[in-house]
Amino acid sequence: MKMQAEVIREGELEKRSDSLFQLWKKKLVVLTKDSLSLFPDGHKRAKGKELGFGSIVKVDCVERTGKYIYFTIVTKDRKEIDFRCPDQSCWNASITMALIDFQNKRAIQDFKSRQEMEQAAGTQERRLARAP
């Protein structure tokens, strides 16, 4: 059973559809420390799409108009997902900060893992050097 992650922010965003007409559709969005989940029609009961931060490279192309802030989430497979939010809502900043926090934690974990592996390899080499 998957544990519920702590919700950083929840609310409404508009996502541009992939269809020919590229219409803007409202989505209920739940931001956690590990992902951004999108639910159709504003209901968490429906099956949502989860964008894990491990698959997101960056939040890009921030543009402000009088009414909206437009931004793009770029994934590791180079897919670009366009969003817009009301000017004062700052969703792009919330997502960017959560993504940076996730990436920093992952970098620290990777560094510690490499350090532990190097220490283990060094211990092994010292043992072999002492062997008759």
Side-chain angles (χ1 to χ4, degrees):
M1 185 169 140
K2 189 176 179 181
M3 296 210 21
Q4 289 283 29
E6 180 183 339
V7 174
I8 296 171
R9 186 167 181 187
E10 184 174 327
E12 197 172 82
L13 264 179
E14 291 184 53
K15 178 185 171 290
R16 190 185 330 232
S17 69
D18 295 331
S19 70
L20 177 65
F21 298 110
Q22 295 189 334
L23 303 172
W24 290 99
K25 294 184 179 182
K26 290 184 180 184
K27 304 285 183 181
L28 173 65
V29 180
V30 178
L31 176 64
T32 67
K33 62 183 178 110
D34 298 317
S35 67
L36 184 70
S37 296
L38 309 168
F39 298 92
D41 304 324
H43 299 288
K44 281 201 253 183
R45 293 183 302 268
K47 177 88 170 130
K49 178 179 181 176
E50 183 178 43
L51 295 171
F53 285 149
S55 68
I56 296 174
V57 175
K58 63 183 173 175
V59 177
D60 201 10
C61 299
V62 177
E63 179 183 337
R64 176 174 277 139
T65 65
K67 189 175 177 182
Y68 293 106
I69 294 175
Y70 294 84
F71 61 98
T72 302
I73 291 179
V74 181
T75 63
K76 285 187 176 179
D77 60 356
R78 302 203 189 287
K79 183 175 179 185
E80 295 183 353
I81 307 165
D82 296 325
F83 292 94
R84 72 179 182 186
C85 58
D87 186 26
Q88 299 300 315
S89 71
C90 299
W91 265 103
N92 58 311
S94 297
I95 295 167
T96 300
M97 294 304 293
L99 177 61
I100 289 169
D101 188 49
F102 175 87
Q103 290 171 337
N104 285 342
K105 286 177 181 172
R106 175 148 307 160
I108 290 168
Q109 287 174 343
D110 290 348
F111 175 76
K112 286 181 179 179
S113 294
R114 278 194 307 275
Q115 215 173 20
E116 289 170 3
M117 287 173 46
E118 287 171 4
Q119 286 174 350
T123 303
Q124 180 72 16
E125 286 175 15
R126 284 191 296 276
R127 267 192 248 136
L128 290 174
R130 283 187 242 153

